[in-house]
Amino acid sequence: EDMIELADENSDVLAYCSPTVSVSADSIKYGAEELDTTTITGCNEDYPFIKSYTLSSGRFVCWQDVQSRNKIVVIGSYVAQEFFANEDPLGSDIKINGDRYTVVGVLSEIADTTESSQDDVIIMPYTAAQRLSRFGMVNSYVMSSTSSDTAEEAISIIKTYLYKVFSNEDYYSVTSQSQMLEMVSELTSTLTLVLVGVAGISLLVGGIGIMNIMLVSVTERTRETGIRKSLGGKRRDIMRQFVIEAAVTSASGGIIGIVVGIAAAYAAGKIFDMSVAISAAAVVIAFSVSVAIGV
């Protein structure tokens, strides 16, 4: 309640505030169907505005639900699909740890209605979640600023307030979406560098292989070269022949590698249910290196 009051007192900076309670359910059932991976979160009426949730049907958690500890739930599209594939979920009861909870709303699809995604969720009033939780306490608070311009000021207000309460920064943590995005960006950049390094080594090894093959080809064709020179073949023509052969060989290998790489990328995307985007720059660089080293 103190955090909600803090948001109300600083409404010019903090737009919404919701306590959150994470619940680990032993069983989630509807009839004979049961789910294992579903995330259960307790919240208040501000939560959908913070998370930018929209509903495909029904309603969200309201103030009265929180005050009365109503046993109601809003479910994600994956839960709706698994439990209510051929019927309207609104008004139906699902069992969580043996207790009945009435479905009052269904969230719009966010992540292709897949298991363990943002669509595999159940949301309920945080007061009901406290009763369902083993610890019965609020785990954290989620808050949103009035705009991106006031985000830093909002973080400062929250940190100042919490320090006054706890007098020790080790007793709490405040994270923002921008900080999380920065961490993900740094991790992605590091992973990209590692992958580029592996790809570079692969290209180098492949290029050395082509180079050695071409050198052996030159050595084995000494007699052919001598006969051609004796018949009037010029040095530049013989050199041009070997260069063309090297270019054709390495280019052919590069084209085969591009085709196989693109096919493998799309196959992996299908298997792991990921979106795949082929980088034209990476393809051009890899092909160019293949041909250049061969030549």
Side-chain angles (χ1 to χ4, degrees):
E1 295 299 330
D2 291 341
M3 295 300 292
I4 295 175
E5 288 180 7
L6 176 68
D8 291 338
E9 292 170 0
N10 297 275
S11 57
D12 57 326
V13 175
L14 295 167
Y16 299 105
C17 174
S18 174
T20 59
V21 178
S22 298
V23 178
S24 178
D26 296 324
S27 67
I28 305 170
K29 295 181 178 180
Y30 177 72
E33 298 292 331
E34 184 172 2
L35 296 178
D36 299 319
T37 60
T38 303
T39 300
I40 301 178
T41 302
C43 64
N44 69 6
E45 66 278 6
D46 283 354
Y47 197 69
F49 300 104
I50 298 171
K51 292 292 186 177
S52 299
Y53 283 146
T54 58
L55 292 165
S56 61
S57 62
R59 67 174 180 84
F60 204 79
V61 174
C62 67
W63 180 84
Q64 186 59 46
D65 293 322
V66 175
Q67 295 301 310
S68 302
R69 298 188 177 184
N70 291 339
K71 290 185 176 181
I72 59 98
V73 291
V74 179
I75 60 177
S77 58
Y78 174 78
V79 179
Q81 174 183 277
E82 293 298 303
F83 280 165
F84 309 100
N86 300 311
E87 59 182 296
D88 184 2
L90 298 182
S92 300
D93 291 338
I94 62 175
K95 285 187 175 181
I96 303 177
N97 290 356
D99 290 337
R100 291 181 180 274
Y101 290 80
T102 303
V103 178
V104 298
V106 179
L107 297 174
S108 299
E109 183 181 75
I110 301 174
D112 297 327
T113 311
T114 54
E115 185 177 4
S116 300
S117 70
Q118 294 182 71
D119 293 323
D120 189 7
V121 296
I122 294 177
I123 296 171
M124 64 175 62
Y126 77 89
T127 48
Q130 283 179 299
R131 182 180 294 171
L132 184 63
S133 173
R134 295 171 183 172
F135 302 103
M137 58 189 297
V138 174
N139 305 104
S140 61
Y141 289 83
V142 290
M143 309 175 83
S144 65
S145 60
T146 52
S147 70
S148 58
D149 296 332
T150 59
E152 291 300 323
E153 184 180 353
I155 293 172
S156 177
I157 289 172
I158 295 168
K159 286 183 175 180
T160 300
Y161 174 78
L162 291 176
Y163 188 79
K164 288 179 180 178
V165 174
F166 295 103
S167 301
N168 191 326
E169 293 183 356
D170 295 333
Y171 291 166
Y172 61 88
S173 64
V174 179
T175 58
S176 66
Q177 291 286 359
S178 59
Q179 291 173 338
M180 293 174 66
L181 285 173
E182 288 176 5
M183 292 173 62
V184 171
S185 178
E186 290 178 4
L187 181 62
T188 303
S189 299
T190 302
L191 182 60
T192 300
L193 288 175
V194 171
L195 292 175
V196 168
V198 172
I201 293 172
S202 300
L203 285 171
L204 180 61
V205 171
I208 291 173
I210 294 174
M211 182 183 68
N212 286 334
I213 292 297
M214 297 312 297
L215 286 174
V216 170
S217 174
V218 172
T219 304
E220 289 181 343
R221 294 164 67 182
T222 302
R223 184 185 297 274
E224 174 191 330
T225 303
I227 293 173
R228 187 172 178 184
K229 290 182 71 174
S230 68
L231 294 174
K234 296 182 179 179
R235 179 184 179 88
R236 65 173 179 273
D237 295 326
I238 298 171
M239 290 288 291
R240 187 181 295 114
Q241 175 190 339
F242 281 113
V243 170
I244 291 172
E245 289 178 1
V248 171
T249 301
S250 55
S252 300
I255 292 171
I256 293 171
I258 290 170
V259 173
V260 173
I262 292 175
Y266 280 111
K270 289 288 185 182
I271 294 172
F272 297 106
D273 193 24
M274 298 185 301
S275 298
V276 175
I278 305 301
S279 171
V283 171
V284 170
I285 291 171
F287 182 79
S288 302
V289 171
S290 171
V291 174
I293 294 180
V295 172

